[in-house]
Amino acid sequence: MEKMKYVCEVCGRTEIMTPEEAYQEGWDYPPFIGSYGVVSARTCPRCPMMKTAWAALVLEKKQYEELTDIQKETIMRIKGEPHNMQVDD
């Protein structure tokens, strides 16, 4: 299975692994959790989803303009998935 780049939107931790490895380690990422290109939490096993762009939009009812720069960057990164997750060997 192809390795991909996983970025925690809360702490910024970055890992290169297969989707199966990411799932087994507890990352909240498609294809096992959510769908590519759809805003949902993108977190490592250590970080809470309550600090994600998804939580700000859905739970806190914030408008896009009210999000932090990091949350806006996360949404743009999600829109480019899975292509922008690919890594060169």
Side-chain angles (χ1 to χ4, degrees), residues 50-70:
M50 296 304 293
K51 294 185 178 183
T52 65
W54 173 84
L57 292 168
V58 175
L59 303 177
E60 298 175 26
K61 309 286 188 216
K62 289 186 177 182
Q63 297 298 310
Y64 180 81
E65 298 77 25
E66 298 174 285
L67 299 178
T68 66
D69 289 342
I70 291 172

Side-chain angles (χ1 to χ4, degrees), residues 1 4-6 17-20 22-23 27-43 78 81-82 85:
M1 192 176 271
M4 303 177 93
K5 180 179 175 181
Y6 293 84
M17 59 193 133
T18 66
E20 176 69 28
Y23 176 73
W27 285 75
D28 288 332
Y29 254 89
F32 296 98
I33 309 261
S35 301
Y36 292 119
V38 177
V39 175
S40 62
R42 300 291 193 273
T43 56
I78 289 171
E81 291 175 350
M85 295 175 65

